[in-house]
Amino acid sequence: LSVVGFVNPNSQENFSLVNCGPKWHDIPVYKNFPNIPNTPNFPNSVGIYFNAKHVLYWVQEIIKYPSIKNVVIFAEDVPEKDAREIVALAKKHKVNIIGPSSTGMIVPGKGRLGEIGGDWLNLNLCRLNQPGPVGIVTKSGTMSGEMLWVVSQNSPGVAQAVHIGGDAFPATDFVYWLEEFSKS
C-alpha cells in the first residue's frame, strides 16, 4: 500500500479505514500536511480533494516540500487567476501539477492517484499491475478509462496515463506530457 496518509483540517488525527482491492487498511489522518512524519515514506505525490476556492492555498502549502513531484487537483472550476498562479508555481518549483478537474494519473505497477481507470475489476482487466510501452494523455476522464481499456487489449500495456483535467486552464497540457513521456 502506497498511501502515506490523509490531511483533513477538521480531523482529530486518527485513522480512516480504506479498502485496497480485497484488503482493508488503517490510514492515518493528519490535521495538516507538516504533521506527516518526514520519513523515507514521505509522499512524492499528492491529491488535492478540497473545493476550488481552497486549491491555490493547498498547492502553496504542498510545493514547500521538495520531495513532492506530482500534484493532482480534483476540484472543478478553479478561478482562472488561481489557475494561472498554480501554473507559475509549478514551473518555479518543477512540480507536475495535473488538473484542475482531473480524475488523476496512473503508473502501472507503481500506483494510482485519483479514480482514473475506475474500480479494481477494471484495473485488473486492463492489466494495470504491470507496465507497458504506451503513454496516454487525455482531457476527458471518460476517455481516460476508455483508452486504458483499448490500449491494454491491443498492445503490451500502458506505461503511464494522465488525465490533464477538463477545466479551461489546466496546469499542464498535451505537449508538456508528451515531452515528459519522451524522457523515460
Side-chain angles (χ1 to χ4, degrees):
L1 183 68
S2 59
V3 176
V4 174
F6 299 112
V7 175
N8 181 347
N10 298 321
S11 78
Q12 298 302 314
E13 293 203 3
N14 45 31
F15 291 86
S16 180
L17 191 60
V18 176
N19 79 314
C20 181
K23 298 179 183 176
W24 288 84
H25 303 275
D26 279 329
I27 306 296
V29 179
Y30 302 96
K31 278 185 136 347
N32 55 44
F33 203 76
N35 286 5
I36 296 175
N38 202 357
T39 67
N41 290 335
F42 195 78
N44 66 359
S45 300
V46 174
I48 298 176
Y49 289 89
F50 285 94
N51 66 30
K53 68 181 180 178
H54 295 108
V55 166
L56 177 58
Y57 168 80
W58 283 104
V59 169
Q60 291 167 335
E61 286 298 304
I62 289 165
I63 61 171
K64 294 176 184 175
Y65 300 89
S67 64
I68 303 296
K69 301 299 178 207
N70 300 296
V71 177
V72 178
I73 301 171
F74 300 99
E76 297 178 353
D77 300 324
V78 171
E80 184 177 335
K81 177 180 172 268
D82 291 356
R84 288 183 185 278
E85 173 86 14
I86 289 167
V87 170
L89 289 168
K91 288 178 183 173
K92 179 179 178 184
H93 294 274
K94 295 181 177 34
V95 175
N96 296 323
I97 298 185
I98 303 161
S101 192
S102 175
T103 58
M105 65 181 291
I106 188 165
V107 181
K110 292 190 177 179
R112 170 175 79 155
L113 184 54
E115 58 190 39
I116 189 170
D119 65 11
W120 260 141
L121 178 60
N122 193 55
L123 294 174
N124 286 329
L125 290 172
C126 289
R127 299 180 315 221
L128 294 174
N129 59 331
Q130 53 192 337
V134 180
I136 297 172
V137 183
T138 70
K139 193 163 173 69
S140 163
T142 303
M143 287 308 298
S144 298
E146 182 69 18
M147 290 307 300
L148 284 166
W149 174 255
V150 170
V151 169
S152 71
Q153 301 306 303
N154 296 288
S155 78
V158 176
Q160 184 174 356
V162 177
H163 171 219
I164 62 173
D167 268 16
F169 199 81
T172 53
D173 59 17
F174 290 107
V175 173
Y176 176 88
W177 285 102
L178 292 174
E179 289 171 352
E180 286 295 306
F181 289 169
S182 70
K183 293 176 187 175
S184 52

